[in-house]
Amino acid sequence: MLRTHTCGELNINSLGQTVTLCGWVQKSRDLGGTTFIDIRDRFGLTQLILNADTDAELREKARSLGREFVIKVTGKVLERTSKNPKIPTGDIEIAVEELDILNAAKIPPFLIEDETDGGEELRAKYRYLDLRRNPIRQNLMLRHRMGQEVRKYLDAQGFIEVETPVLIKSTPEGARDFVVPSRMNPGEFYALPQSPQTFKQLLMVSGFDRYFQIVKCFRDEDLRADRQPEFTQIDCELSFVEQEDILNIFEGLTRHLFSVVKGITLDTFPRMQYSDAMRLYGSDKPDVRFGMQFVELNDVVKGKNFAIFDNAELVVGINAKGCAGYTRKQVDELTDWLKRPQIGASGLVYCRYNTDGTLKSSVDKFYNEDELTNWAAAFEAEAGDLMLVLAGPADKVRKQLNELRLEMGGRLGLRDKDKFAPLWVVDFPLLEWDEENGRYHAMHHPFTSPKPEDIALLDTEPGSVRANAYDLVINGTEIGGGSIRIHEKTLQSLMFKHLGFSAEEAQKQFGFLLDAFEFGAPPHGGIAFGFDRLCSIFAGLDSIRDVIAFPKNNSGRDVMIDSPSTIAPEQMKELNIATTN
Amino acid sequence: MLRTHTCGELNINSLGQTVTLCGWVQKSRDLGGTTFIDIRDRFGLTQLILNADTDAELREKARSLGREFVIKVTGKVLERTSKNPKIPTGDIEIAVEELDILNAAKIPPFLIEDETDGGEELRAKYRYLDLRRNPIRQNLMLRHRMGQEVRKYLDAQGFIEVETPVLIKSTPEGARDFVVPSRMNPGEFYALPQSPQTFKQLLMVSGFDRYFQIVKCFRDEDLRADRQPEFTQIDCELSFVEQEDILNIFEGLTRHLFSVVKGITLDTFPRMQYSDAMRLYGSDKPDVRFGMQFVELNDVVKGKNFAIFDNAELVVGINAKGCAGYTRKQVDELTDWLKRPQIGASGLVYCRYNTDGTLKSSVDKFYNEDELTNWAAAFEAEAGDLMLVLAGPADKVRKQLNELRLEMGGRLGLRDKDKFAPLWVVDFPLLEWDEENGRYHAMHHPFTSPKPEDIALLDTEPGSVRANAYDLVINGTEIGGGSIRIHEKTLQSLMFKHLGFSAEEAQKQFGFLLDAFEFGAPPHGGIAFGFDRLCSIFAGLDSIRDVIAFPKNNSGRDVMIDSPSTIAPEQMKELNIATTN
């Protein structure tokens, strides 16, 4: 090794030792003829000192060092006169006796410190420098730790990690595929997997019993902060289990991770039906770090000649505790915020429960104080609260109120990043109406099983068939989801039919799975966790970008390596393709 | 859970318990009114019994079960009258009280047993059934165990697993890339990584210090038994180390794996210079489970008017111990084998050291017994041995003799699959002459550093520059390889120049790396293990196919899912590409 120690391990017990360290120059300063240099590596920071006792030539060399130079120094460990209790090496310094410059460095384009002055684009271009910063490197070390712990836990539970192929087959279901032209099979393409779904089910047919994989998946979708064209799943499947078993095992995994990685002990995770989540929070991934549940007011507010409420399918509101002091201007701003196209509310009705006990609403013309008292009762509001009410088509207004609830929760400090509120959402609908294509599509995917008691409804009321499907939600973010799968050919064929596949199409795309179900497929189910999202939640980040070493931007570009890029005409010729743009 | 126990865990201590098992019907037989059924899962096999005490309807149902039916049974654990000591559950059987058919099964197209009657193509098409067979499943479980152990070991050594991108940039070096058209960037393509080489080097520039990843890599090459278009690497990189450190750490990893996975304690790995490997074995990956080293005979055999030897650049042979009894016919067959186009030898000279002490060669016309005694001395041959000699251009004849040595080693039983002989081959040449393109190319890759003392030779004798590069070879198979990298821009640019890149090309393709080297790149080096090959060696297999769950055939096809396949015209339109075949 070029070093005897890392920059994070020497302390008062090392006094007198002659050591060799390697690392980057964090900073360098001259104080009255003495040169202090902080040398940094992944493990920490150590102070070097060169003073009147040091060889003059060496001091000259030390003074020539710039930030981020890579150096190797040998010297003796001394006790510092001025100690720094904030760092583990703060009691000591190294009196430099030898100094090698292993590599010089240009001045970096932004500060390599916890708080940097670099903009997003600049940091993306020099990602390798941004990765030098502690906060980013800590995220990736956290991710490593989590991956190790996931594997340990699942291994101990009898899961086998099996790698499934990356070059697979394009299928019409789900998101858009990335494809790969095959040179050896002209005119044909592989697709990159959106998930290893069918392979993991085949592994159950093969009798693997418990499978997992931490695996890259790919979706050619338009991107936003929490989406990347390539992302990582903790992908799992189990045989001979029921939904309850899966929830318990993966609740166990999640609690294990919180315990060993963050030192947080979580209680048993609550479970909520999809229908309740929609009714009480307007979302299938409610943030239950705080209450502020929806209160439906149709029975309370209708019939008072307020046309907007009378004509609305649903009148529903939330109680913003302690917000009665909101000024008219603040409420107007909130109303404007709700009316933005992203949310699209048509207006906001409010009712203040003043601290003096009086009630004052924006619809006093239609509702007298007695009636507003009924509102307050419905909201279980107290003096000092602010009731916020929306009206309109049920689905739409719930979505809008969900946004408002999250906004108010944020304003009231109820969305603390250090608090973790997990939740299982269960009993999802099997099918979802696809307006654009005028047909139902699978809410999870076509392999999800309907609840046996609902199968009869498939023909008559497809939209009300419930699935054996579940999501794990933490702090309002979907972390994982899964289902008990169909394992019988007849039911799977029926499902494809309901999704608008002809028998021929189903056979062409998924024949291997339908065939497999005829050779002894066990009952099975599984779950997939978004590993990037899980890591970002653990790291307290809003975006998944900074738990990914080399992420792509919103145009799917890696600006550091400048990819994608054009390829040589000979490459295209060999692959039997041409560009048409 | 649908079961209380697996099919592998009940034994004499379970007597009297009422248990529920799930699994596949392995076989079923009726003996004098008693029905015996073997039920199988990943964990083992348990015998079920239904006899005169069993409900008649239940017995009827049991008799209707076919092979590979998936069933769930409940019953009491009884001691067997006729025990089977070969399996852990062999002392007990289950008296069936309840029986559910969870899924029926068609008759499988081949036997699901350790020895199957299915041909390769049929088993590939029904891979999910082939994976049910114990030997194949054991391979994948071994692979899982090895992956877990690799991660544990490297984690303990301070390595951080970092995921690098799969959608990267096509580069002209190395093998052919698989490419992925970018919808969002029309006319541009991503490439799938042949290895994460540049990313892991950037992680060193970022200060990660020790990186690893078990990662899929991709090469669009023509396939053979030990090659797949997608394969898995254990990819590692370290900062502030020298070659010796890397060899020690990864020798440690390899010994750890042999110890925990196979219970084999290996000695320190020998090291051999590339030049010695070529001289003594004619290969850069010698199988050192056996000796049979090459003996060079130029000094011994030249000048006796045997033109073939006199005109040859190299006369070289091996001593096949105890093979003096080979008949003329056997030697002729060996000669024909050597003359096949795959090997291309022009002939074989032999010399028998008969058990009576006489010497008899195929070139007695030119060499008398005294001279043959000199041959025998050179070979250190004894009575009973057979000396086999080839002549020709040095490089070519060494390759041919390597094949002959391996063949003779196999015939003599010296290539025992249960014996493991690891070897570090070091000091590889930096460059290799590329006949086809009339230029040098990098023997490892363009980022490998030359030995400092050889840099001066780059201009004058490029072919004799040695690299800080090393391979780990086990039993004649290259398991891993790596190098100390270049970490300075000037040297890296010089290297690109020697590889025929213009400065512009180098900047266009690898500018991000050259730039990164200017911002403080530490000295670093690494290694990559072929994980598939490593697993196949541990499993005692010749091919990597059966340590891969869903491999592709020699045309790069997955015949089970029928991939690659055509894609929809709309998909191509969205991607701005067309097929031209």
Side-chain angles (χ1 to χ4, degrees), chain A residues 286-297:
Chain A
D287 184 346
V288 294
R289 277 176 296 186
F290 63 107
M292 212 187 279
Q293 289 183 349
F294 291 7
V295 176
E296 300 195 350
L297 298 169

Side-chain angles (χ1 to χ4, degrees), chain B residues 78-125:
Chain B
L78 304 181
E79 188 162 4
R80 277 205 216 178
T81 45
S82 158
K83 296 187 179 176
N84 178 354
K86 286 187 201 150
I87 59 172
T89 63
D91 289 347
I92 59 98
E93 62 196 0
I94 313 292
V96 177
E97 290 159 15
E98 286 172 46
L99 168 61
D100 289 326
I101 298 176
L102 298 176
N103 218 342
K106 292 203 299 195
I107 294 165
F110 51 84
L111 280 178
I112 314 281
E113 310 218 339
D114 291 6
E115 296 291 329
T116 181
D117 58 350
E120 200 172 325
E121 273 190 54
L122 196 64
R123 286 186 292 123
K125 175 157 196 248

Side-chain angles (χ1 to χ4, degrees), chain B residues 243 272-279 283-285 395 425-434 440-451 454-455 457-458 461-471 482-484 495 499:
Chain B
Q243 174 168 317
M272 188 182 290
Q273 298 215 331
Y274 170 88
S275 54
D276 287 338
M278 296 310 290
R279 187 173 52 81
S283 166
D284 59 0
K285 38 179 188 280
D395 286 355
V425 179
V426 299
D427 295 352
F428 274 79
L430 182 70
L431 302 167
E432 202 171 33
W433 181 250
D434 176 350
Y440 280 98
H441 71 241
M443 194 156 191
H444 270 70
H445 52 55
F447 315 107
T448 297
S449 66
K451 289 201 178 282
D454 288 3
I455 291 180
L457 296 172
L458 264 174
E461 269 188 75
S464 65
V465 175
R466 290 164 308 155
N468 287 314
Y470 34 82
D471 275 359
S483 62
I484 299 295
M495 188 67 190
L499 295 171

Side-chain angles (χ1 to χ4, degrees), chain B residues 25-196:
Chain B
V25 173
Q26 178 73 23
K27 65 180 177 192
S28 167
R29 58 206 183 282
D30 284 299
L31 283 175
T34 303
T35 303
F36 295 97
I37 297 168
D38 284 346
I39 180 174
R40 183 199 73 225
D41 65 13
R42 185 185 106 196
F43 307 92
L45 201 76
T46 300
Q47 180 168 292
L48 310 177
I49 181 167
L50 301 95
N51 56 24
D53 299 338
T54 314
D55 172 78
E57 204 175 319
L58 202 56
R59 288 174 64 189
E60 197 48 49
K61 196 174 184 182
R63 271 194 290 265
S64 77
L65 298 174
R67 273 179 180 249
E68 302 303 320
F69 272 47
V70 185
I71 60 171
K72 175 182 162 191
V73 290
T74 299
K76 192 168 279 185
V77 183
L78 304 181
E79 188 162 4
R80 277 205 216 178
T81 45
S82 158
K83 296 187 179 176
N84 178 354
K86 286 187 201 150
I87 59 172
T89 63
D91 289 347
I92 59 98
E93 62 196 0
I94 313 292
V96 177
E97 290 159 15
E98 286 172 46
L99 168 61
D100 289 326
I101 298 176
L102 298 176
N103 218 342
K106 292 203 299 195
I107 294 165
F110 51 84
L111 280 178
I112 314 281
E113 310 218 339
D114 291 6
E115 296 291 329
T116 181
D117 58 350
E120 200 172 325
E121 273 190 54
L122 196 64
R123 286 186 292 123
K125 175 157 196 248
Y126 296 96
R127 181 67 174 174
Y128 49 87
L129 296 180
D130 206 24
L131 286 172
R132 263 187 211 165
R133 298 195 305 116
N134 279 323
I136 314 276
R137 199 177 48 233
Q138 292 303 335
N139 294 340
L140 292 174
M141 290 177 67
L142 171 82
R143 185 182 177 118
H144 162 70
R145 177 61 38 225
M146 289 179 69
Q148 288 277 123
E149 289 297 334
V150 168
R151 288 191 162 96
K152 254 193 258 177
Y153 185 88
L154 293 177
D155 180 54
Q157 299 277 330
F159 287 80
I160 308 287
E161 186 162 26
V162 179
E163 293 176 53
T164 54
V166 175
L167 297 171
I168 65 163
K169 184 176 174 173
S170 191
T171 61
E173 264 303 299
R176 213 182 275 109
D177 283 322
F178 283 106
V179 298
V180 180
S182 166
R183 180 180 55 88
M184 286 203 261
N185 303 276
E188 298 190 327
F189 294 79
Y190 302 100
L192 303 183
Q194 296 182 27
S195 93

Side-chain angles (χ1 to χ4, degrees), chain A residues 163-168 193 196 199 213, chain B residues 216 230 550 552 558 561:
Chain A
E163 293 176 53
T164 54
V166 175
L167 297 171
I168 65 163
F199 290 99
Q213 191 183 187
Chain B
K216 276 278 173 79
E230 51 180 299
F550 301 101
K552 293 183 176 58
D558 181 328
I561 63 170

